[in-house]
Amino acid sequence: MTRVLIVDDQPTFRRHLRQLLTCAGLIVVGEAGDIPAAEAQAQILQPDLAVVDVRLPGANGIEGTPRLKSLAPDLRVILVSAYHDRAKIFRTAAEEVGAEAFISKDDLDLHVVRAWRK
């Protein structure tokens, strides 16, 4: 089963994503509201996948991706954002920092998250 860490500063979105991931057969092992909290959890939990918001307080998801991957070498990172009008910029940045993908929060559905299972 794919073990997931959710990193987003909005508790409502974290709850929604947790439900979606669980319905898709993934296991949510932790949640964090910023990169430092995510780093602590990634080091301990060693998740398979982190779903990370691009816009976070302090270090953003783009800056945080290499930091998380250094703590959990096999970690796959999916960057997400509600700012779908910047998708092209975020996709390029995601690729540059080693994230597996960028997806708009509006496009997250059961079909999409099922594809994240490994």
Side-chain angles (χ1 to χ4, degrees):
M1 292 298 251
T2 302
R3 298 164 31 88
V4 183
L5 173 63
I6 299 170
V7 186
D8 194 288
D9 60 324
Q10 298 295 319
T12 303
F13 177 74
R14 290 196 312 260
R15 277 193 302 277
H16 168 73
L17 185 56
R18 176 183 280 274
Q19 290 173 341
L20 190 60
L21 292 165
T22 301
C23 286
L26 290 89
I27 299 169
V28 177
V29 295
E31 296 182 14
D34 58 28
I35 293 300
E39 288 174 308
Q41 290 193 36
Q43 191 166 24
I44 295 166
L45 301 171
Q46 293 294 302
D48 304 304
L49 175 69
V51 181
V52 182
D53 190 12
V54 171
R55 307 267 309 211
L56 293 167
N60 65 41
I62 294 165
E63 296 165 337
T65 294
R67 291 167 50 177
L68 292 172
K69 290 176 74 66
S70 74
L71 297 169
D74 296 326
L75 182 67
R76 296 179 294 135
V77 176
I78 306 288
L79 290 171
V80 297
S81 177
Y83 295 92
H84 60 278
D85 59 327
R86 298 181 185 167
K88 186 175 180 181
I89 294 166
F90 291 154
R91 277 192 191 92
T92 301
E95 185 178 306
E96 289 173 356
V97 297
E100 189 167 289
F102 166 80
I103 188 162
S104 170
K105 288 182 179 180
D106 292 339
D107 295 333
L108 290 173
D109 61 23
L110 196 55
H111 177 72
V112 169
V113 299
R114 278 189 180 137
W116 298 347
R117 293 185 295 196
K118 283 203 177 178

